Amino acid sequence: MSRIAARFKQLRARGRKALIPYVTAGDPRPGVTVSLMHAMVEAGADIIELGVPFSDPMADGPVIQRASERALEHHTSLRDVLGMVRGFREQDQKTPVVLMGYLNPIEVMGYEAFAAAAAGAGVDGVLTVDIPPEEAGELLAALKRHALDAIFLLAPTTTGARIDSICRAASGFVYYVSLKGVTGASHLDLGEVETKLADIRAATDLPVGVGFGIKDAATAAAVAGLADAVVVGSALVSRVEALADRPEAIAPALAGLLAEMRKAMDER
Amino acid sequence: MESSVPTSNRETYCNQPDEQGHFGPYGGVFVAETLMAALDELRVNYEKYLKDESFLAELDADLAHYVGRPSPLYHARRWSRELGGAQIYLKREDLNHTGAHKVNNTIGQALLARRMGKTRIIAETGAGQHGVATATVAARLGLECVIYMGAVDMVRQEANVYRMRLLGAEVRAVESGSRTLKDALNEAMRDWVTNVDDTFYIIGTVAGPHPYPAMVRDFQAVIGREARQQIRQQAGRLPDALVACVGGGSNAIGLFHPFLDDEEVAIYGVEAAGDGLETGNHAAPLCAGRPGVLHGNRTYLMEDGDGQIIETHSISAGLDYPGVGPEHAWLKDCGRAQYVAATDDEALAAFHALTRIEGIIPALESSHALAHAAKLAPTLDKDRIILVNLSGRGDKDMHTVAAREGIRL
């Protein structure tokens, strides 16, 4: 069983929903990322989603775009990100780590070389934003060879037939994008989320995470009532941005928000 | 990645892309799931209306009476004589309404948008030519229009920003990344994801996810269809060579496509060599880049060793793009077209030559094609024919050319 599957099984047994924070690796500088990952686990994160910086993050809103830019000012490469995961694994062998990013850096490294290096570094899952299952055959095969889970997005506009084919290609969990738009947008419609999650659950037994638009403890708790996992990105990254000049203050700030979310999710 | 199979005995070069938008190993659909439904809706409608006689009649009428087609094919006799070799013919896309080939495509997509019931048009623009062509057709059809433009480009192309605003478009400055065309494209995609119900995204070149590369090509192929007929009427035969500049590559594919199966016609796409390919300051992914994935398709890119897209340089803002249409990538690999490059200086020399010798002021983009024609012509006999796509007029480039020569306007 993969580390991700094991984690969801364990959470389910305890009646707990997964809290999945996202930060961009190398933001605001490469040296702080590993300590942020540990601080987030300490504050109640169950799985860490680590963004791989890319020059053209087409699906991201301004907050995560700027995080990529800060990381790229320090030339944070895919190899560097794998190094950070390796560093994290020196102290934490239990918390699953999912890489989230765009295809081109993986293309340049080569699918097989990437999958081997990621598995060797201690990565558990890979979410490549801009590769739909139709184009992903060879990448999926490489990930599978190295026992890495392939995480895919589902959108409000994803039709029934596509939900089936995406869920068949996915492993670990699937990630429902809770609104039309880019990361960090507002207007989360819980009614719409509930309806769509029912369609998704009819298609798969995989755990379902919900993200895009979860800003505070209240929305986290509300989403936890519907989904198996709550993904929080821009709300955290905007705190990183605000404290970019005081990196020592970032970990406590992220931990504070996550602890509030954790508490609200567990007490709902 | 599947490998392409270039063969010399293929039956046709005109059967691309496949149903999923692949030109050999290039093209495809590489976007987030949030865009898949919109692309699917677009593909279904494009396939439907491309066979719809009333749509095609509407398009043809607009091309004739609004754009001013057919554009002339002009034999540049004095310049040909000066160069001392092949005869050069210019396909005068500069004479289209709005001054470039861009409008062929924006008319087509805007009419499609209206048929699909979309009320809001968005577009990206670099130099502003595609933005102006989009704002123009949006004005005419009474559609709301938002143009995304890099903040750096807005400063470089102030006059076009004003032109778009006069036409009623809202021009939004893009402050992310390198603040140029590629970032404007990212931002337009983000808008589309967010407003997908009422919004139609008019991409300006033969790049992006399927069906854009095929759809934009089909709207631009009017250039090559006319040119093929015109050169036969004027010279009694097909040309020996076609030459067109390649940024994203829409004017080039528009000229090339109807000639792809005429294997006796040599095809040259001319990229921007900027300060020179050896300097690294250029915008020539086919000549000096390598395959990767950007903006929804697999194609040749300008990228660093980590897969990050790098900034490009060209004196011509319209060629200043780190990718290229996937059909060009495929034509390069199968050897049907050759891709070369012209530097800023070579393009400027051709700009001045055509202006003084023929009384035609070409766009700096088109000047790259002219520069290659000027290299090619003297190597060919006087009875040979080179057909160059003069994709746009140079009025928009007055400030750039003057500044380069130390003149303030």
Side-chain angles (χ1 to χ4, degrees):
Chain A
M1 189 184 296
S2 78
R3 209 158 8 206
I4 293 173
R7 174 56 51 104
F8 275 106
K9 192 178 169 198
Q10 189 187 76
L11 288 169
R12 207 168 280 171
R14 289 163 51 197
R16 186 166 137 151
K17 299 300 176 76
L19 177 58
I20 308 183
Y22 166 100
V23 290
T24 301
D27 172 33
R29 48 174 214 235
V32 306
T33 301
V34 172
S35 63
L36 290 186
M37 293 167 77
H38 289 308
M40 294 193 296
V41 172
E42 187 76 14
D46 300 297
I47 296 173
I48 301 280
E49 206 170 277
L50 196 56
V52 181
F54 182 50
S55 53
D56 293 81
M58 234 165 59
D60 285 299
V63 170
I64 291 178
Q65 288 170 45
R66 290 194 297 267
S68 251
E69 287 177 20
R70 286 190 295 274
L72 289 175
E73 276 168 28
H74 299 281
H75 306 287
T76 309
S77 67
L78 179 53
R79 270 171 224 287
D80 295 335
V81 178
L82 296 178
M84 293 171 196
V85 176
R86 202 175 298 113
F88 175 75
R89 285 275 171 256
E90 286 171 12
Q91 286 177 48
D92 187 329
Q93 288 87 45
K94 290 201 177 114
T95 308
V97 174
V98 172
L99 296 187
M100 179 169 183
Y102 293 80
L103 183 58
N104 202 49
I106 296 175
E107 286 254 324
V108 166
M109 192 180 280
Y111 294 167
E112 174 59 28
F114 163 71
V123 170
D124 302 289
V126 177
L127 197 177
T128 311
V129 175
D130 56 348
I131 191 164
E134 293 90 329
E135 300 280 2
E138 293 192 19
L139 178 60
L140 286 174
L143 295 178
K144 197 166 186 182
R145 276 196 294 279
H146 294 278
L148 292 164
D149 282 323
I151 321 292
F152 282 97
L153 298 177
L154 293 161
T157 49
T158 306
T159 56
R162 278 190 67 77
I163 291 177
D164 287 345
S165 68
I166 292 170
C167 289
R168 271 199 303 277
S171 57
F173 65 99
V174 291
Y175 182 162
Y176 178 62
V177 174
S178 50
L179 45 85
K180 287 179 190 168
V182 292
T183 52
S186 48
H187 49 258
L188 180 67
D189 180 343
L190 286 172
E192 195 178 355
V193 172
E194 188 167 11
T195 312
K196 202 71 180 186
L197 287 196
D199 296 345
I200 296 169
R201 291 199 192 281
T204 183
D205 294 331
L206 288 172
V208 185
V210 170
F212 282 38
I214 294 162
K215 292 182 156 33
D216 50 29
T219 41
V223 170
L226 305 170
D228 303 300
V230 176
V231 187
V232 189
S234 298
L236 294 168
V237 174
S238 60
R239 281 166 173 76
V240 175
E241 176 164 53
L243 297 168
D245 297 333
R246 294 196 292 133
E248 72 288 351
I250 296 172
L254 300 194
L257 178 62
L258 288 174
E260 281 171 32
M261 289 181 164
R262 176 83 269 164
K263 188 159 176 281
M265 286 165 62
D266 291 350
E267 288 174 357
R268 99 201 119 78
Chain B
M1 198 191 301
E2 254 178 73
S3 67
S4 66
V5 192
T7 54
S8 54
N9 60 350
R10 69 168 63 244
E11 282 169 14
T12 177
Y13 290 91
C14 295
N15 60 356
Q16 305 286 317
D18 70 13
E19 277 182 25
Q20 288 77 41
H22 300 107
F23 300 86
Y26 302 107
V29 179
F30 292 88
V31 298
E33 180 59 26
T34 42
L35 270 179
M36 292 301 289
L39 287 168
D40 211 45
E41 182 194 16
L42 176 61
R43 183 183 53 74
V44 165
N45 280 281
Y46 147 75
E47 285 170 359
K48 172 180 159 195
Y49 285 112
L50 216 69
K51 292 180 218 133
D52 181 302
E53 283 184 21
S54 82
F55 176 80
L56 293 174
E58 188 181 15
L59 175 62
D60 284 347
D62 272 2
L63 290 176
H65 304 296
Y66 189 66
V67 176
R69 304 204 69 91
S71 66
L73 183 72
Y74 169 72
H75 183 185
R77 287 195 178 79
R78 282 196 75 209
W79 196 40
S80 304
R81 203 175 309 132
E82 179 122 335
L83 291 167
Q87 301 306 306
I88 296 178
Y89 285 75
L90 304 176
K91 181 61 174 163
R92 298 290 309 274
E93 293 298 299
D94 60 318
L95 294 177
N96 292 340
H97 179 43
T98 72
H101 70 289
K102 293 287 187 188
V103 73
N104 301 329
N105 168 50
T106 59
I107 284 262
Q109 289 198 50
L111 291 176
L112 185 58
R114 192 167 67 176
R115 296 264 175 162
M116 289 169 66
K118 305 288 181 182
T119 55
R120 181 173 177 269
I121 296 288
I122 58 170
E124 84 294 342
T125 196
Q129 293 309 99
H130 173 58
V132 168
T134 302
T136 298
V137 298
R140 177 164 172 273
L141 297 180
L143 300 168
E144 183 189 346
C145 182
V146 174
I147 305 290
Y148 289 92
M149 189 168 185
V152 168
D153 289 336
M154 284 179 73
V155 173
R156 291 197 284 200
Q157 303 287 339
E158 229 181 326
N160 270 340
V161 173
Y162 184 59
R163 202 166 291 160
M164 288 183 269
R165 287 180 174 152
L166 282 176
L167 288 160
E170 181 192 338
V171 183
R172 290 191 189 161
V174 176
E175 300 282 358
S176 57
S178 58
R179 300 182 187 82
T180 58
L181 175 58
K182 77 174 179 68
D183 310 288
L185 210 151
N186 292 332
E187 205 55 41
M189 285 279 185
R190 292 177 188 125
D191 180 314
W192 198 28
V193 171
T194 311
N195 302 297
V196 70
D197 294 332
D198 67 345
T199 297
F200 190 105
Y201 178 19
I202 299 188
I203 292 187
T205 192
V206 284
H210 182 63
Y212 283 102
M215 178 173 67
V216 176
R217 173 199 71 198
D218 291 343
F219 286 135
Q220 290 294 359
V222 65
I223 301 172
R225 285 197 302 272
E226 286 176 8
R228 204 165 181 282
Q229 201 175 18
Q230 288 166 319
I231 194 71
R232 279 186 149 153
Q233 280 163 0
Q234 291 183 33
R237 65 180 184 88
L238 293 180
D240 297 286
L242 303 175
V243 184
C245 64
V246 177
S250 71
N251 91 82
I253 210 75
L255 176 66
F256 298 167
H257 199 261
F259 290 93
L260 287 179
D261 288 337
D262 302 314
E263 296 214 40
E264 69 277 22
V265 180
I267 295 178
Y268 298 93
V270 188
E271 295 192 302
D275 295 334
L277 293 183
E278 70 289 352
T279 67
N281 297 324
H282 58 79
L286 289 169
C287 292
R290 56 180 179 174
V293 171
L294 177 71
H295 291 155
N297 67 107
R298 184 179 277 122
T299 187
Y300 281 81
L301 299 176
M302 302 271 295
E303 60 182 8
D304 68 14
D306 298 327
Q308 308 296 344
I309 307 307
I310 56 178
E311 287 187 37
T312 51
H313 166 78
S314 169
I315 190 172
S316 143
L319 300 183
D320 215 346
Y321 178 65
V324 63
E327 191 161 13
H328 288 294
W330 176 73
L331 289 171
K332 172 192 160 80
D333 282 11
C334 43
R336 177 62 188 99
Q338 294 179 60
Y339 292 89
V340 296
T343 63
D344 289 354
D345 289 340
E346 290 168 335
L348 275 168
F351 171 93
H352 285 297
L354 198 76
T355 301
R356 280 188 301 98
I357 298 166
E358 296 287 352
I360 297 171
I361 302 179
L364 284 174
E365 290 79 12
S366 323
S367 298
H368 287 73
L370 296 167
H372 188 70
K375 288 180 210 168
L376 194 59
T379 69
L380 300 173
D381 289 339
K382 289 191 172 63
D383 60 352
R384 297 301 195 94
I385 296 171
I386 301 173
L387 199 162
V388 183
N389 200 7
L390 189 58
S391 56
R393 69 180 183 221
D395 307 46
K396 68 182 176 63
D397 296 315
M398 292 298 98
H399 278 88
T400 308
V401 175
R404 183 88 170 198
E405 285 158 13
I407 298 163
R408 280 189 60 179
L409 297 182

